Amino acid sequence: MKKVALITGVSSGIGKALMEKMLIKNYFIIGTTRKQQKLKHSANQYFITLDLTDTESIENAINLIKSKFDNIDILINNAGIGSDHIPSLTEVENFKIRFETHIFGLYFFTESLISLIPQKGKIINISSKLSSFNLIDKLSPSIFTPTKTAYILSKVTVNLYTKILAHKLKDKKIKVLSIHPGWVKTKLSKTNQQAPMLVEVSAQKIYKIIES
């Protein structure tokens, strides 16, 4: 019987590469995309619209998932927003959207699906090494723009939530991890387009951790 993996943010980047990797490894994939796209369901994958900044979108996605699936073996919270300033948003809006996506949306989406995750299931949160307390002092002070700071703070909170969740679910033997995917060449931000690592390499590394 195929294991079921739910991956958020599969339209491009790491999420898409990880989905393709896990399909090859015989997983059934539930994939989410922020905007409604013409992605076709198949015998091995099912697509759902999910905007983590929109409460109604989260609720609709959760209700649909629960109506279609009895269990989720692995939940991979991959959907996110990069650390570059979004010109169309104000400074406050840039700050807010990162917390809405990386914390509020991730939290309520995850908490609502825990009942579907069986014993020895897994929850993987994609984080960033920029959220490491040990790294902060080594970074140039110029890096801490409001938007970059918002990104880092939101990922610090993801890591803390991961610790809380791991402790809360230890009796159920659900493994909860935060993973730094590497500096990966994606369209998530202009900065990431300069990165040396291909998404396929990152996906392979994440998959090895998932299977370990």
Side-chain angles (χ1 to χ4, degrees), residues 44-57:
N44 299 314
Q45 53 193 354
Y46 188 88
F47 296 105
I48 292 171
T49 302
L50 171 67
D51 182 348
L52 289 170
T53 69
D54 186 323
T55 302
E56 185 177 356
S57 176

Side-chain angles (χ1 to χ4, degrees), residues 14-203:
I14 295 170
K16 182 179 180 182
L18 189 55
M19 174 180 69
E20 291 170 350
K21 177 69 178 178
M22 295 181 78
L23 284 170
I24 293 171
K25 295 297 182 178
N26 206 35
Y27 276 83
F28 182 91
I29 302 296
I30 306 167
T32 79
T33 60
R34 189 170 63 87
K35 296 180 180 179
Q36 194 167 9
Q37 299 187 18
K38 295 179 180 178
L39 297 174
K40 293 183 179 180
H41 306 313
S42 72
N44 299 314
Q45 53 193 354
Y46 188 88
F47 296 105
I48 292 171
T49 302
L50 171 67
D51 182 348
L52 289 170
T53 69
D54 186 323
T55 302
E56 185 177 356
S57 176
I58 294 170
E59 291 175 353
N60 289 341
I62 290 165
N63 290 336
L64 182 56
I65 290 166
K66 288 185 173 181
S67 71
K68 297 279 185 183
F69 302 97
D70 295 324
N71 73 283
I72 296 168
D73 297 288
I74 303 174
L75 169 60
I76 303 173
N77 287 312
N78 165 73
I81 297 176
S83 59
D84 287 357
H85 182 82
I86 302 171
S88 61
L89 300 180
T90 66
E91 197 170 275
V92 171
E93 288 169 338
N94 266 283
F95 212 98
K96 185 179 178 183
I97 196 171
R98 281 160 181 82
F99 273 84
E100 287 178 339
T101 303
H102 298 157
I103 299 303
F104 301 130
L106 182 150
Y107 173 83
F108 288 106
F109 184 69
T110 300
E111 290 290 322
S112 297
L113 294 176
I114 287 174
S115 61
L116 297 185
I117 302 174
Q119 266 203 347
K120 298 185 179 180
K122 295 177 182 178
I123 299 173
I124 309 295
N125 295 323
I126 302 301
S127 186
S128 169
K129 73 175 183 179
L130 286 175
S131 62
S132 169
F133 280 62
N134 295 329
L135 182 65
I136 295 297
D137 290 340
K138 299 175 184 177
L139 298 173
S140 168
S142 64
I143 195 176
F144 299 112
T145 63
T147 300
K148 187 80 74 175
T149 300
Y151 177 83
I152 293 170
L153 287 173
S154 68
K155 291 299 186 178
V156 168
T157 312
V158 168
N159 293 343
L160 182 56
Y161 175 54
T162 298
K163 293 286 287 183
I164 291 169
L165 203 53
H167 181 65
K168 186 168 80 169
L169 299 177
K170 64 180 181 180
D171 291 340
K172 200 175 176 182
K173 297 181 180 178
I174 293 176
K175 193 172 186 179
V176 189
L177 300 172
S178 279
I179 295 178
H180 168 60
W183 189 25
V184 185
K185 192 179 186 69
T186 69
K187 296 178 181 178
L188 196 63
S189 68
K190 288 183 179 179
T191 303
N192 282 27
Q193 290 173 25
Q194 303 168 22
M197 186 183 295
L198 297 176
V199 290
E200 292 79 9
V201 175
S202 176

